[in-house]
């Protein structure tokens, strides 16, 4: 691979983890993206591994080839003509989706349903798919004006890569609207579940959580949960009813994709409660619930997906200010050539693994 003379003189070819179908990602050398008017070329320093991308790879949800990765932070190395507000050397995070703000769905703030929003606006090559699992990304012209945030001095790229996932959880938390004094159960305390715990704690609600991994339960307590239980060892429904005068939780956030978590949400929630599904992002996933538990018991079952443009600046502030201690979620940092190990660890978490960050400029060999 031809190497660059400096950060602002990118190589002609770069390294990337390319999805090739058959649940396979291969490390390859591919052309470094070229940018056009209104676009940015960003050198990727950190990219978090998200389960949404892992599902796309594992279940072959989209045709290859693609370079995934969308929790991206890096440095602008080139700015196309007509770009204003950004220049080489700027440290940035970039969102891979932005809405048109003019359509039927945008008028109702349902940005994730906007056709413009559904177009991915960042690529490392091939069909745009985020591109963060590569050394450089091209940020397209409709993303640059409203989908890029500067990283303040003193904030690491690893921490900055949390701006996008925090936004998705912040959006869902706003929709779920936990209230002071409500009992909120958050089922699953992986990285997403723990972000929900951080955010819900700010509402003044009473939080209880579940997870099968002890370290995650310990973090949950540190981030504001009153109790954190292993659902294999504790009668979660019974414990929640004890603290709610026999009623059940007012709000349940399901931050795990297993059917058992949905069953638990139905069992531990009260009539008239709200249940948020957040982890069911694949068309291949199915959930089954009692119709009477929704209709007769007047529960509200709803979903939330992706980020909100309206919360982008506030989500960045929550991360950059340290108000949300997201760095405590990082358990592993991998070089680009170790990405398969990172994928495996994210899909099969153990007692130590939590949020995994890929650093594409590093090469272990």
């Amino acid at each position: 691979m031809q190497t660059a003379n400096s950060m602002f003189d990118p190589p002609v070819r770069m390294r990337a983890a390319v999805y090739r179908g058959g649940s396979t990602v291969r490390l390859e050398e591919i052309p470094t993206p070229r940018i056009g008017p209104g676009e940015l070329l960003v050198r990727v320093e950190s990219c978090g591994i998200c389960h949404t991308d892992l599902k796309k790879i594992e279940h072959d949800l989209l045709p290859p080839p693609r370079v995934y990765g969308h929790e991206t932070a890096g440095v602008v190395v080139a700015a196309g003509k007509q770009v204003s507000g950004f220049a080489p050397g700027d440290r940035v995070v970039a969102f891979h989706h932005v809405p048109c703000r003019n359509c039927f769905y945008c008028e109702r703030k349902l940005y994730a349903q906007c056709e413009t929003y559904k177009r991915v606006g960042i690529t490392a090559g091939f069909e745009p798919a985020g591109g963060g699992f590569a050394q450089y990304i091209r940020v397209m012209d409709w993303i640059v004006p409203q989908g890029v945030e500067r990283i303040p001095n003193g904030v690491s790229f690893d921490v900055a890569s949390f701006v996008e996932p925090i936004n998705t959880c912040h959006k869902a938390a706003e929709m779920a609207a936990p209230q002071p004094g409500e009992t909120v159960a958050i089922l699953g305390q992986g990285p997403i579940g723990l972000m929900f715990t951080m955010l819900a704690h700010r509402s003044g609600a009473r939080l209880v959580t579940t997870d099968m991994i002890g370290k995650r339960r310990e973090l949950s307590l540190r981030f504001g949960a009153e109790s954190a239980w292993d659902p294999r060892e504790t009668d979660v429904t019974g414990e929640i009813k004890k603290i709610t005068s026999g009623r059940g939780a007012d709000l349940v956030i399901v931050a795990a994709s297993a059917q058992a978590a949905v069953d638990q949400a139905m069992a531990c929630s009260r009539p008239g409660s709200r249940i948020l599904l957040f982890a069911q992002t694949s068309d291949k996933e199915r959930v089954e619930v009692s119709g009477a538990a929704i209709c007769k018991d007047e529960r509200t079952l709803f979903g939330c997906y992706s980020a909100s443009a309206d919360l982008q600046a506030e989500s960045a502030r929550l991360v950059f200010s340290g108000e949300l201690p997201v760095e405590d979620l990082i358990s592993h940092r991998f070089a680009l050539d170790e990405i398969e190990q990172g994928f495996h660890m994210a899909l099969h978490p153990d007692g130590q693994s939590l949020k995994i960050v890929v650093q594409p400029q590093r090469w272990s060999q």
Side-chain angles (χ1 to χ4, degrees), residues 10 14-16 30-35 39-47 67-78 92-96 121-125 129-140 143 147-148 360-361:
M14 66 174 182
R15 291 165 171 157
I30 63 175
T32 300
R34 294 185 177 182
I35 61 170
E39 298 184 336
L40 297 176
L41 183 67
V42 174
R43 172 185 156 117
V44 181
E45 300 293 339
S46 299
C47 185
V67 179
Y68 287 113
H70 61 270
E71 299 176 359
T72 306
V75 181
V76 175
V77 296
V92 297
V93 292
F95 285 76
H96 59 313
I122 298 180
T123 183
F133 299 145
Q135 292 183 303
Y136 293 87
I137 55 171
R138 170 189 163 213
V139 183
M140 298 179 188
I143 298 288
V148 181
Q361 301 307 320

Side-chain angles (χ1 to χ4, degrees), residues 237-261:
T237 297
E239 291 299 318
I240 291 176
K241 288 191 174 182
K242 283 180 186 177
I243 64 174
T244 58
S245 302
R247 292 187 304 272
D250 302 293
L251 167 65
V252 183
I253 297 173
V254 182
S257 60
Q259 174 67 46

Side-chain angles (χ1 to χ4, degrees), residues 57-344:
I57 293 167
E58 186 178 21
H59 300 296
D60 297 308
L61 299 183
L62 296 171
R66 294 169 190 259
V67 179
Y68 287 113
H70 61 270
E71 299 176 359
T72 306
V75 181
V76 175
V77 296
K81 294 179 181 179
Q82 303 170 16
V83 170
S84 61
F86 297 100
D90 287 343
R91 305 166 74 243
V92 297
V93 292
F95 285 76
H96 59 313
H97 297 290
V98 296
C100 74
R101 294 189 178 271
N102 296 313
C103 69
F104 174 92
Y105 290 109
C106 285
E107 288 173 356
R108 290 155 179 80
K109 298 188 181 297
L110 295 169
Y111 299 124
Q113 309 310 316
C114 164
E115 288 304 315
T116 296
Y117 189 93
K118 292 179 181 181
R119 294 171 60 203
V120 179
I122 298 180
T123 183
F126 313 111
E127 184 72 18
F133 299 145
Q135 292 183 303
Y136 293 87
I137 55 171
R138 170 189 163 213
V139 183
M140 298 179 188
D141 57 357
W142 77 88
I143 298 288
V144 173
Q146 59 172 318
V148 181
E149 296 283 341
R150 276 196 184 80
I151 303 169
N153 292 334
V155 176
S156 72
F157 292 112
D158 290 351
V159 167
S161 70
F162 279 87
V163 170
E164 193 273 347
I166 282 291
N167 187 310
T168 66
C169 296
H170 191 11
K171 172 187 171 183
E174 291 279 304
M175 185 182 292
Q179 299 298 308
E182 284 193 320
T183 298
V184 178
I186 304 174
L187 309 184
Q189 291 292 279
I192 290 295
L194 286 165
M195 289 184 227
F196 272 121
T197 298
M198 292 179 188
L199 289 162
H201 178 58
R202 299 166 69 244
S203 72
R206 184 182 197 181
L207 305 182
V208 295
T209 64
T210 67
D211 201 274
M212 293 187 288
I213 296 177
K215 180 179 179 180
R216 297 180 176 193
R217 296 195 301 273
E218 291 172 9
L219 283 171
S220 182
L221 295 170
R222 189 199 307 173
F223 296 152
E226 175 184 301
S227 299
W229 302 305
D230 184 334
R232 300 168 300 181
E233 300 175 355
T234 300
D235 176 6
V236 173
T237 297
E239 291 299 318
I240 291 176
K241 288 191 174 182
K242 283 180 186 177
I243 64 174
T244 58
S245 302
R247 292 187 304 272
D250 302 293
L251 167 65
V252 183
I253 297 173
V254 182
S257 60
Q259 174 67 46
V262 178
D263 294 341
Q264 183 73 77
M266 300 300 294
C268 75
S269 59
R270 65 166 172 81
S273 63
R274 312 178 311 280
I275 299 174
L276 166 66
L277 301 186
F278 191 78
Q280 289 70 22
T281 58
S282 167
D283 287 337
K284 296 184 178 182
E285 293 173 273
R286 295 289 184 268
V287 297
E288 183 175 318
V289 298
S290 160
I294 300 296
C295 180
K296 185 162 71 83
D297 292 344
E298 298 183 315
R299 287 177 174 86
T300 299
L301 179 66
F302 64 104
C304 187
Y305 180 70
S306 200
S308 168
D310 291 345
L311 296 172
Q312 183 172 301
E314 174 63 5
S315 298
R317 186 196 69 79
L318 289 170
V319 172
F320 297 155
S321 68
E323 186 171 331
L324 299 181
V326 294
E327 189 162 20
D328 293 349
L329 301 180
I330 302 174
S331 64
H332 294 81
R333 296 167 170 87
F334 286 109
L336 187 59
D337 61 325
E338 300 170 320
I339 195 168
E340 289 191 62
Q341 184 180 347
F343 286 169
H344 180 81

